[in-house]
Amino acid sequence: MDRRSERRLVTCLFIDIVGSTNLGQELGAERMRRVLGDAFTRLSAIATAEGGTVEKYIGDAVFVLFGAPTAHADDVLRALRAADAAVRWSTTTGTVTIRAGVETGEALVDLAAIGEHQRMAVGTCVNVAARLQQSAEIGEVLVGETALEAARGLARFGESRTISLKGVGAVRAAPLVASGEEAAAPAPFVGRTAELAKLRAAFERADSGRAALGILIGPPGIGKSRVADEFIRSLDPDVLVLETACRPGSETGISPLRGLIPSDGADVPDELAHSAGLRADPRLLALSTFDRRQQIEAAWREYFSRLTKARAVLVRIEDLHWAENEVVRLIDRLTFDSPLRLLVVATVRPEFPGQPLIRPNADRVLIEVPPLDPDSARALAFAAGPAQDLVDRAEGHPLFILELVRGRMSSADALPVTVQAAISARLDELTPSDRELLQTASVIGETFDARSVSLLSERDPADVAGALGRLVHLRYLRAIDGRFRFDHALVHDTAYGRLPVETRMRLHGQYARDGLPADAHEALAHHWWEALRPPDAEWVWADDADREAMRVEALAAHIAAGRALGDRLATERMVETFEHALQLTQSPLEKARVEEAVGLAYQRNAKGDEASTHRMRAIERYREAAAAPPVSLYADMLDLVAFNWGYFRDHEGFGNVLGLIDEAIAIARANRDPALLRVLIQRAAVTNDASVLPEIESLLASLPDPSPYADALWRLAVVHFDATADLDKAADAIARSFELAERGAPFNEPEAVVWRSELHFHRGDLERSDADAERMLGLSRNLSVHTRTHAIAVKARVHWARGEWDGVREYGEELRAHLRNNPEASWCLYSANLAAYDAIADLVRGRPLPADLKELVDRIVPDSPATNAAAMMVPLVMAGEPVLEEEARRAYAPETPIWDRESMWDLTQTHFALVDVMRERWDAVERDLVRLDQMARHGARFAAALAAAMREELAAARGGPAPSHDGLRGLGYTGVSELMRYRVPRVPLAPWQGVSSPVAS
């Protein structure tokens, strides 16, 4: 007979005949042999009568196993009854005394050893039960912690105690007092009428044009899905019903969002296909995490807007507790204050981890699903089969009722102790062949097709199809669209859990190698990991060459899967996948490549600290492997520091930035790496050093294909803003960037549009600056609130320049609303300057300085005192308040790190120009003119007009004609002209770092 092993939930009973040595001396060897033989016969009969299997005799003890080869839903209770009967029998013999130990747990069971009294079961629960028997007093049955929990309400126990067991450690146990106690009378339960009424009310609200979310909450098997089924059946046929389900981890490699769109995703927007994992969108990947998320959410909102125009839509999501956070967040956004004829009905377990992502309001209906009331329970049992005498003892749990009734267990004492036990009992009703097929199918996942099962089972496809049909008829499976699905997730889990580790791992490996396409990265990663997870891989796959070949494939699948998960913002699963990848690596070079991929994934999730940490680890691993790190690795990391410093929580780690940039430049030059262009631009941006610009221009001229450098080109424009103040060259760079984008090159359009608006502003073209501001307003409607503040800030700056103070105030109010409604969001100098412009608009109209301005700006830029001081300078001076002028000047200093530079917003240093004129500090004005004249020579028409107006003010102060500011007003900068006429009394400057700042006279 072939050996067949399974992992089983078993209850182990050890019964020991106490004092047999002394008894032998009293009775003699022959009589003692007969006494022991009779005792073992009697004890075996007691155990067998309860459905137990005598595994072996050990000296004076007998080991009885419950749960194998046939499982019963009440195996724990059967074991306790057998132990109790054995003790009672021993008291009647007057000859032998016994003690016993009982424990429940998982064990590996060799089913082929049954009847041979060999070592049939191996597991911790076996050892614990044996040690409990040794620790028991004469006539006592000691019951272990797991069995105690399973038998709660079914037996009576004495006071529990902690026992130290040799080779096991401390365990909790209690003596059995009596078995077969009646369960407590069930409390009255609420039926399903109330739950259906709540869902109906939610649907009526949705049908009237206000989206709603109904969440059915309850433990596995309580009937959440059945409530959803019943509700959906009650709907009008015109309602469009979309159904999907979530599974834990990356078992299937399929996002639950795929179930809500056409199967191939060909006719849906790229954002939907990207978020559902059908295809990656480079345009989305170029955006920040928050902007990508907003665009995806906007696309789904538009998708459902179209679907709900003609009829109401119901989306059903099974097991939302297993969903990625991004899916839960999307469901929240679609149903929160949303004018869609949409109802989402989701089932979750009580421990639903995504609950904090669901914002509470009247559109949410949380429905606790209780056990069935007695009448409903009896009706369910009647529909399932004839054994209704079990219903009262099932305590209204629908899964227990169905499994017991379908299993035809009519014993009055039969009561499921766990869902696994109930399902195990049903599984053992199958023929070994069908049960083995079901367990093999469970390796594939909760849903599978006949071809895959045929492949793994190595059985004829026709035979497999017939067997799966039988399993559907018996309701172990359901047939869905040509595929098969386990009737309940726990049926799958129990079937899968029975497979021995070696069998399970080999089946996963076979499916990864032969059953999946090469581009099914997430599914491949899942199955390869289950096939090769350490430390078992070394003994399961003894052939080193075979194991190594699989490991290489598995590592590649994990890296690809981690990237895909990062692309769609599934951060938790991404991290888990990359952690698995690191465990599969062997060489420093492999570790470097994984760390590099992790860094990219974190970057796309706007986590700068984590991205840089992993990229530094990658660089260290490359060095350990005696290999030069790729320049692109440095460039990717340094892009964050140079241009996305808002991604970081801690700027302290920026100290080695220049060292890394110079190291990358040296490697790139030595290897003629085209990524040299990127790191040179980064160096120029971080250091404000224009000396590398000739080399940058040379590299640009030599590029055979500039398409990958669209983002680099608009970043080059940023360098020209600050390092050279040459707006003509900045305009050329940013124009080339947009030309590449129009030809399909991916780049971050929202950021590029903002910088182009700034370029037009300083070149004196307010019309084009305003056009880009309008474009940015349109783009930002589907982007993050942070990016939205960029849009309203550049628009408000145009209003500010024109003197359209009502427009400035409008966007100032919107900024305050965003700050109120998004307390956890981060902000930047754009928002700080908008807050200052809003205050200026008040002051121009004769209103006082907003009382909360300082607090507001402190909140916006809490860790940037220089930016804070520079942004606040004009309104504080206008209000006669002290200013931190030296701190503000530091925000414009070339040596100040880019993440603290106000000049990234105020390129012309207009703030200082205005303050100097307002205070009539004419020596300072003359110094300002030198800078403005230099900028004017390189395309800064606004700087030229500003300088002309300042000269008029200077001349008027020295007795010349009244200023006209024709240059400013001719370009449309009427508001700047108005501010330049504003005069304030001289006020003291606030001390900075303990030193009073001098006032220029």
PDB file of all heavy atoms in Angstrom, residues 318-341:
ATOM      1  N   GLU A 318     -16.771  40.415  -1.663  1.00  0.00           N
ATOM      2  CA  GLU A 318     -16.624  39.405  -0.616  1.00  0.00           C
ATOM      3  C   GLU A 318     -15.262  39.545   0.063  1.00  0.00           C
ATOM      4  O   GLU A 318     -14.243  39.791  -0.579  1.00  0.00           O
ATOM      5  CB  GLU A 318     -16.732  38.001  -1.221  1.00  0.00           C
ATOM      6  CG  GLU A 318     -18.148  37.565  -1.556  1.00  0.00           C
ATOM      7  CD  GLU A 318     -18.973  37.268  -0.313  1.00  0.00           C
ATOM      8  OE1 GLU A 318     -18.488  36.537   0.567  1.00  0.00           O
ATOM      9  OE2 GLU A 318     -20.087  37.805  -0.213  1.00  0.00           O
ATOM     10  N   ASP A 319     -15.260  39.392   1.383  1.00  0.00           N
ATOM     11  CA  ASP A 319     -14.025  39.326   2.179  1.00  0.00           C
ATOM     12  C   ASP A 319     -13.164  40.576   2.010  1.00  0.00           C
ATOM     13  O   ASP A 319     -11.960  40.508   1.740  1.00  0.00           O
ATOM     14  CB  ASP A 319     -13.215  38.073   1.818  1.00  0.00           C
ATOM     15  CG  ASP A 319     -13.966  36.792   2.132  1.00  0.00           C
ATOM     16  OD1 ASP A 319     -14.716  36.788   3.112  1.00  0.00           O
ATOM     17  OD2 ASP A 319     -13.805  35.809   1.380  1.00  0.00           O
ATOM     18  N   LEU A 320     -13.778  41.745   2.208  1.00  0.00           N
ATOM     19  CA  LEU A 320     -13.039  43.007   2.074  1.00  0.00           C
ATOM     20  C   LEU A 320     -11.912  43.115   3.099  1.00  0.00           C
ATOM     21  O   LEU A 320     -10.982  43.891   2.916  1.00  0.00           O
ATOM     22  CB  LEU A 320     -14.011  44.189   2.221  1.00  0.00           C
ATOM     23  CG  LEU A 320     -13.454  45.580   1.927  1.00  0.00           C
ATOM     24  CD1 LEU A 320     -12.997  45.686   0.471  1.00  0.00           C
ATOM     25  CD2 LEU A 320     -14.474  46.658   2.246  1.00  0.00           C
ATOM     26  N   HIS A 321     -11.974  42.327   4.171  1.00  0.00           N
ATOM     27  CA  HIS A 321     -10.912  42.372   5.182  1.00  0.00           C
ATOM     28  C   HIS A 321      -9.569  41.934   4.614  1.00  0.00           C
ATOM     29  O   HIS A 321      -8.526  42.205   5.204  1.00  0.00           O
ATOM     30  CB  HIS A 321     -11.281  41.494   6.387  1.00  0.00           C
ATOM     31  CG  HIS A 321     -11.754  40.125   5.997  1.00  0.00           C
ATOM     32  ND1 HIS A 321     -13.090  39.852   5.775  1.00  0.00           N
ATOM     33  CD2 HIS A 321     -11.089  38.968   5.764  1.00  0.00           C
ATOM     34  CE1 HIS A 321     -13.226  38.579   5.444  1.00  0.00           C
ATOM     35  NE2 HIS A 321     -12.025  38.020   5.432  1.00  0.00           N
ATOM     36  N   TRP A 322      -9.576  41.242   3.461  1.00  0.00           N
ATOM     37  CA  TRP A 322      -8.314  40.825   2.838  1.00  0.00           C
ATOM     38  C   TRP A 322      -7.842  41.817   1.775  1.00  0.00           C
ATOM     39  O   TRP A 322      -6.818  41.588   1.133  1.00  0.00           O
ATOM     40  CB  TRP A 322      -8.469  39.442   2.210  1.00  0.00           C
ATOM     41  CG  TRP A 322      -8.336  38.329   3.206  1.00  0.00           C
ATOM     42  CD1 TRP A 322      -7.470  38.261   4.247  1.00  0.00           C
ATOM     43  CD2 TRP A 322      -9.087  37.116   3.243  1.00  0.00           C
ATOM     44  NE1 TRP A 322      -7.638  37.093   4.942  1.00  0.00           N
ATOM     45  CE2 TRP A 322      -8.626  36.360   4.345  1.00  0.00           C
ATOM     46  CE3 TRP A 322     -10.101  36.594   2.456  1.00  0.00           C
ATOM     47  CZ2 TRP A 322      -9.133  35.117   4.671  1.00  0.00           C
ATOM     48  CZ3 TRP A 322     -10.618  35.354   2.783  1.00  0.00           C
ATOM     49  CH2 TRP A 322     -10.139  34.622   3.874  1.00  0.00           C
ATOM     50  N   ALA A 323      -8.552  42.890   1.584  1.00  0.00           N
ATOM     51  CA  ALA A 323      -8.219  43.819   0.500  1.00  0.00           C
ATOM     52  C   ALA A 323      -7.008  44.665   0.860  1.00  0.00           C
ATOM     53  O   ALA A 323      -6.717  44.934   2.031  1.00  0.00           O
ATOM     54  CB  ALA A 323      -9.409  44.732   0.200  1.00  0.00           C
ATOM     55  N   GLU A 324      -6.291  45.102  -0.184  1.00  0.00           N
ATOM     56  CA  GLU A 324      -5.213  46.057  -0.006  1.00  0.00           C
ATOM     57  C   GLU A 324      -5.813  47.383   0.465  1.00  0.00           C
ATOM     58  O   GLU A 324      -6.958  47.718   0.159  1.00  0.00           O
ATOM     59  CB  GLU A 324      -4.484  46.279  -1.334  1.00  0.00           C
ATOM     60  CG  GLU A 324      -3.918  44.998  -1.926  1.00  0.00           C
ATOM     61  CD  GLU A 324      -3.684  45.106  -3.425  1.00  0.00           C
ATOM     62  OE1 GLU A 324      -3.951  46.184  -3.997  1.00  0.00           O
ATOM     63  OE2 GLU A 324      -3.251  44.107  -4.018  1.00  0.00           O
ATOM     64  N   ASN A 325      -5.025  48.160   1.182  1.00  0.00           N
ATOM     65  CA  ASN A 325      -5.504  49.443   1.691  1.00  0.00           C
ATOM     66  C   ASN A 325      -6.002  50.348   0.573  1.00  0.00           C
ATOM     67  O   ASN A 325      -6.951  51.115   0.750  1.00  0.00           O
ATOM     68  CB  ASN A 325      -4.396  50.154   2.468  1.00  0.00           C
ATOM     69  CG  ASN A 325      -4.240  49.580   3.864  1.00  0.00           C
ATOM     70  OD1 ASN A 325      -5.088  48.824   4.335  1.00  0.00           O
ATOM     71  ND2 ASN A 325      -3.163  49.918   4.527  1.00  0.00           N
ATOM     72  N   GLU A 326      -5.333  50.289  -0.601  1.00  0.00           N
ATOM     73  CA  GLU A 326      -5.743  51.165  -1.705  1.00  0.00           C
ATOM     74  C   GLU A 326      -7.157  50.832  -2.173  1.00  0.00           C
ATOM     75  O   GLU A 326      -7.906  51.715  -2.578  1.00  0.00           O
ATOM     76  CB  GLU A 326      -4.756  51.047  -2.870  1.00  0.00           C
ATOM     77  CG  GLU A 326      -3.429  51.726  -2.609  1.00  0.00           C
ATOM     78  CD  GLU A 326      -3.577  53.209  -2.298  1.00  0.00           C
ATOM     79  OE1 GLU A 326      -4.306  53.894  -3.033  1.00  0.00           O
ATOM     80  OE2 GLU A 326      -2.977  53.664  -1.316  1.00  0.00           O
ATOM     81  N   VAL A 327      -7.539  49.545  -2.131  1.00  0.00           N
ATOM     82  CA  VAL A 327      -8.889  49.152  -2.532  1.00  0.00           C
ATOM     83  C   VAL A 327      -9.902  49.687  -1.521  1.00  0.00           C
ATOM     84  O   VAL A 327     -10.942  50.240  -1.892  1.00  0.00           O
ATOM     85  CB  VAL A 327      -8.987  47.621  -2.663  1.00  0.00           C
ATOM     86  CG1 VAL A 327     -10.426  47.197  -2.914  1.00  0.00           C
ATOM     87  CG2 VAL A 327      -8.083  47.127  -3.787  1.00  0.00           C
ATOM     88  N   VAL A 328      -9.604  49.540  -0.233  1.00  0.00           N
ATOM     89  CA  VAL A 328     -10.516  50.032   0.801  1.00  0.00           C
ATOM     90  C   VAL A 328     -10.657  51.549   0.688  1.00  0.00           C
ATOM     91  O   VAL A 328     -11.762  52.104   0.772  1.00  0.00           O
ATOM     92  CB  VAL A 328     -10.014  49.644   2.207  1.00  0.00           C
ATOM     93  CG1 VAL A 328     -10.954  50.185   3.279  1.00  0.00           C
ATOM     94  CG2 VAL A 328      -9.897  48.130   2.327  1.00  0.00           C
ATOM     95  N   ARG A 329      -9.525  52.226   0.481  1.00  0.00           N
ATOM     96  CA  ARG A 329      -9.566  53.688   0.354  1.00  0.00           C
ATOM     97  C   ARG A 329     -10.413  54.105  -0.850  1.00  0.00           C
ATOM     98  O   ARG A 329     -11.173  55.070  -0.802  1.00  0.00           O
ATOM     99  CB  ARG A 329      -8.143  54.227   0.233  1.00  0.00           C
ATOM    100  CG  ARG A 329      -8.063  55.745   0.241  1.00  0.00           C
ATOM    101  CD  ARG A 329      -6.623  56.236   0.125  1.00  0.00           C
ATOM    102  NE  ARG A 329      -5.902  56.064   1.363  1.00  0.00           N
ATOM    103  CZ  ARG A 329      -4.958  55.154   1.577  1.00  0.00           C
ATOM    104  NH1 ARG A 329      -4.621  54.316   0.607  1.00  0.00           N
ATOM    105  NH2 ARG A 329      -4.347  55.064   2.722  1.00  0.00           N
ATOM    106  N   LEU A 330     -10.277  53.366  -1.948  1.00  0.00           N
ATOM    107  CA  LEU A 330     -11.061  53.683  -3.144  1.00  0.00           C
ATOM    108  C   LEU A 330     -12.555  53.511  -2.873  1.00  0.00           C
ATOM    109  O   LEU A 330     -13.366  54.369  -3.258  1.00  0.00           O
ATOM    110  CB  LEU A 330     -10.626  52.778  -4.297  1.00  0.00           C
ATOM    111  CG  LEU A 330     -11.432  52.910  -5.591  1.00  0.00           C
ATOM    112  CD1 LEU A 330     -11.276  54.307  -6.179  1.00  0.00           C
ATOM    113  CD2 LEU A 330     -10.981  51.846  -6.600  1.00  0.00           C
ATOM    114  N   ILE A 331     -12.937  52.428  -2.208  1.00  0.00           N
ATOM    115  CA  ILE A 331     -14.341  52.212  -1.879  1.00  0.00           C
ATOM    116  C   ILE A 331     -14.860  53.363  -1.012  1.00  0.00           C
ATOM    117  O   ILE A 331     -15.978  53.861  -1.202  1.00  0.00           O
ATOM    118  CB  ILE A 331     -14.525  50.863  -1.157  1.00  0.00           C
ATOM    119  CG1 ILE A 331     -14.101  49.695  -2.069  1.00  0.00           C
ATOM    120  CG2 ILE A 331     -15.967  50.690  -0.692  1.00  0.00           C
ATOM    121  CD1 ILE A 331     -14.808  49.655  -3.390  1.00  0.00           C
ATOM    122  N   ASP A 332     -14.044  53.794  -0.068  1.00  0.00           N
ATOM    123  CA  ASP A 332     -14.452  54.918   0.778  1.00  0.00           C
ATOM    124  C   ASP A 332     -14.692  56.171  -0.061  1.00  0.00           C
ATOM    125  O   ASP A 332     -15.701  56.861   0.103  1.00  0.00           O
ATOM    126  CB  ASP A 332     -13.363  55.186   1.819  1.00  0.00           C
ATOM    127  CG  ASP A 332     -13.596  56.481   2.578  1.00  0.00           C
ATOM    128  OD1 ASP A 332     -14.527  56.521   3.395  1.00  0.00           O
ATOM    129  OD2 ASP A 332     -12.846  57.451   2.334  1.00  0.00           O
ATOM    130  N   ARG A 333     -13.765  56.486  -0.978  1.00  0.00           N
ATOM    131  CA  ARG A 333     -13.889  57.711  -1.778  1.00  0.00           C
ATOM    132  C   ARG A 333     -15.114  57.666  -2.698  1.00  0.00           C
ATOM    133  O   ARG A 333     -15.769  58.673  -2.922  1.00  0.00           O
ATOM    134  CB  ARG A 333     -12.632  57.933  -2.619  1.00  0.00           C
ATOM    135  CG  ARG A 333     -11.348  58.135  -1.825  1.00  0.00           C
ATOM    136  CD  ARG A 333     -11.453  59.304  -0.853  1.00  0.00           C
ATOM    137  NE  ARG A 333     -10.179  59.631  -0.239  1.00  0.00           N
ATOM    138  CZ  ARG A 333      -9.706  59.113   0.886  1.00  0.00           C
ATOM    139  NH1 ARG A 333     -10.420  58.194   1.525  1.00  0.00           N
ATOM    140  NH2 ARG A 333      -8.541  59.483   1.382  1.00  0.00           N
ATOM    141  N   LEU A 334     -15.428  56.483  -3.234  1.00  0.00           N
ATOM    142  CA  LEU A 334     -16.550  56.373  -4.161  1.00  0.00           C
ATOM    143  C   LEU A 334     -17.900  56.510  -3.466  1.00  0.00           C
ATOM    144  O   LEU A 334     -18.897  56.866  -4.102  1.00  0.00           O
ATOM    145  CB  LEU A 334     -16.486  55.025  -4.889  1.00  0.00           C
ATOM    146  CG  LEU A 334     -15.361  54.852  -5.916  1.00  0.00           C
ATOM    147  CD1 LEU A 334     -15.345  53.425  -6.439  1.00  0.00           C
ATOM    148  CD2 LEU A 334     -15.521  55.837  -7.069  1.00  0.00           C
ATOM    149  N   THR A 335     -17.933  56.242  -2.172  1.00  0.00           N
ATOM    150  CA  THR A 335     -19.221  56.207  -1.469  1.00  0.00           C
ATOM    151  C   THR A 335     -19.349  57.275  -0.406  1.00  0.00           C
ATOM    152  O   THR A 335     -20.326  57.274   0.349  1.00  0.00           O
ATOM    153  CB  THR A 335     -19.439  54.824  -0.825  1.00  0.00           C
ATOM    154  OG1 THR A 335     -18.341  54.541   0.068  1.00  0.00           O
ATOM    155  CG2 THR A 335     -19.525  53.737  -1.872  1.00  0.00           C
ATOM    156  N   PHE A 336     -18.392  58.182  -0.300  1.00  0.00           N
ATOM    157  CA  PHE A 336     -18.436  59.229   0.723  1.00  0.00           C
ATOM    158  C   PHE A 336     -18.927  60.530   0.091  1.00  0.00           C
ATOM    159  O   PHE A 336     -18.260  61.102  -0.767  1.00  0.00           O
ATOM    160  CB  PHE A 336     -17.043  59.430   1.328  1.00  0.00           C
ATOM    161  CG  PHE A 336     -17.018  60.380   2.504  1.00  0.00           C
ATOM    162  CD1 PHE A 336     -17.257  59.914   3.785  1.00  0.00           C
ATOM    163  CD2 PHE A 336     -16.755  61.729   2.326  1.00  0.00           C
ATOM    164  CE1 PHE A 336     -17.236  60.779   4.871  1.00  0.00           C
ATOM    165  CE2 PHE A 336     -16.729  62.601   3.399  1.00  0.00           C
ATOM    166  CZ  PHE A 336     -16.970  62.120   4.685  1.00  0.00           C
ATOM    167  N   ASP A 337     -20.119  60.985   0.502  1.00  0.00           N
ATOM    168  CA  ASP A 337     -20.693  62.218  -0.050  1.00  0.00           C
ATOM    169  C   ASP A 337     -20.630  62.219  -1.573  1.00  0.00           C
ATOM    170  O   ASP A 337     -20.211  63.199  -2.197  1.00  0.00           O
ATOM    171  CB  ASP A 337     -19.959  63.450   0.504  1.00  0.00           C
ATOM    172  CG  ASP A 337     -20.317  63.717   1.949  1.00  0.00           C
ATOM    173  OD1 ASP A 337     -21.364  63.224   2.398  1.00  0.00           O
ATOM    174  OD2 ASP A 337     -19.551  64.412   2.621  1.00  0.00           O
ATOM    175  N   SER A 338     -21.039  61.106  -2.178  1.00  0.00           N
ATOM    176  CA  SER A 338     -20.893  60.941  -3.627  1.00  0.00           C
ATOM    177  C   SER A 338     -22.254  60.907  -4.307  1.00  0.00           C
ATOM    178  O   SER A 338     -23.135  60.136  -3.915  1.00  0.00           O
ATOM    179  CB  SER A 338     -20.147  59.636  -3.923  1.00  0.00           C
ATOM    180  OG  SER A 338     -20.057  59.396  -5.300  1.00  0.00           O
ATOM    181  N   PRO A 339     -22.474  61.710  -5.357  1.00  0.00           N
ATOM    182  CA  PRO A 339     -23.771  61.750  -6.055  1.00  0.00           C
ATOM    183  C   PRO A 339     -23.890  60.663  -7.107  1.00  0.00           C
ATOM    184  O   PRO A 339     -24.196  60.929  -8.275  1.00  0.00           O
ATOM    185  CB  PRO A 339     -23.757  63.148  -6.679  1.00  0.00           C
ATOM    186  CG  PRO A 339     -22.319  63.385  -6.999  1.00  0.00           C
ATOM    187  CD  PRO A 339     -21.530  62.727  -5.890  1.00  0.00           C
ATOM    188  N   LEU A 340     -23.649  59.424  -6.733  1.00  0.00           N
ATOM    189  CA  LEU A 340     -23.739  58.300  -7.658  1.00  0.00           C
ATOM    190  C   LEU A 340     -24.871  57.378  -7.230  1.00  0.00           C
ATOM    191  O   LEU A 340     -25.104  57.187  -6.024  1.00  0.00           O
ATOM    192  CB  LEU A 340     -22.429  57.505  -7.674  1.00  0.00           C
ATOM    193  CG  LEU A 340     -21.176  58.217  -8.178  1.00  0.00           C
ATOM    194  CD1 LEU A 340     -19.954  57.332  -7.966  1.00  0.00           C
ATOM    195  CD2 LEU A 340     -21.314  58.577  -9.649  1.00  0.00           C
ATOM    196  N   ARG A 341     -25.526  56.765  -8.197  1.00  0.00           N
ATOM    197  CA  ARG A 341     -26.554  55.757  -7.887  1.00  0.00           C
ATOM    198  C   ARG A 341     -25.837  54.421  -7.666  1.00  0.00           C
ATOM    199  O   ARG A 341     -25.985  53.474  -8.417  1.00  0.00           O
ATOM    200  CB  ARG A 341     -27.571  55.663  -9.020  1.00  0.00           C
ATOM    201  CG  ARG A 341     -28.384  56.937  -9.218  1.00  0.00           C
ATOM    202  CD  ARG A 341     -29.324  56.785 -10.410  1.00  0.00           C
ATOM    203  NE  ARG A 341     -30.331  55.751 -10.185  1.00  0.00           N
ATOM    204  CZ  ARG A 341     -31.069  55.206 -11.146  1.00  0.00           C
ATOM    205  NH1 ARG A 341     -30.906  55.604 -12.411  1.00  0.00           N
ATOM    206  NH2 ARG A 341     -31.971  54.291 -10.870  1.00  0.00           N
TER     207      ARG A 341
END
